[in-house]
Amino acid sequence: MMTTLSEPSALLTPGQLFKCLNDETRQAIMLLVHSEGELCVCELTHALEQSQPKVSRHLSQLRNCGLLQDRREGQWVYYRVMPDLPDWALDVLTATASGAGEMLASLQRQLATMGNRPTRRQMCCQE
């Protein structure tokens, strides 16, 4: 069972971080969001080639862990790394991205096939 933090990021411990990232899909989501700055669910489903319910479940878990923050823009929900994430946790993400360079590059290439954000909305973020 995932640990849920009552105060996001403020109480995050290394053990909790690693428990939250103990899934390949959650790792990929975190690395992609960390590298891209902000992504919506449809962008993540396209890049990961995963179903929307599966990606949304993992996003919810990452948000409950205090690792991701979401914002709504109309019908779209965008995710970004929690702004108050401790420096040590950001360092872990950076080091992990370095170690998973080829996997991250592959995800970024897949995301790039969607074009830029306006084109992406036309492609998959429509009602």
Side-chain angles (χ1 to χ4, degrees), residues 67-122:
L67 300 180
L68 289 181
Q69 180 179 60
D70 62 348
R71 73 173 178 86
R72 184 168 293 280
E73 183 179 310
Q75 67 191 37
W76 299 285
V77 179
Y78 292 90
Y79 293 86
R80 65 180 151 241
V81 173
M82 188 64 76
D84 65 347
L85 207 60
D87 289 341
W88 64 265
L90 292 172
D91 291 345
V92 168
L93 289 175
T94 300
T96 303
S98 176
E102 189 54 43
M103 182 267 297
L104 181 57
S106 175
L107 292 172
Q108 289 170 322
R109 284 191 299 273
Q110 180 67 16
L111 184 61
T113 66
M114 296 180 77
N116 59 24
R117 178 96 2 111
T119 303
R120 290 178 192 176
R121 279 191 176 170
Q122 292 172 356

Side-chain angles (χ1 to χ4, degrees), residues 29 32 39-53 55-56 59 106-116 119-121 123-125:
I29 289 170
L32 200 51
L39 293 170
C40 72
V41 175
C42 66
E43 292 167 319
L44 288 163
T45 59
H46 182 82
L48 297 167
E49 298 179 317
Q50 301 276 340
S51 70
Q52 182 274 324
V55 170
S56 291
L59 286 166
S106 175
L107 292 172
Q108 289 170 322
R109 284 191 299 273
Q110 180 67 16
L111 184 61
T113 66
M114 296 180 77
N116 59 24
T119 303
R120 290 178 192 176
R121 279 191 176 170
M123 183 176 189
C124 72
C125 296

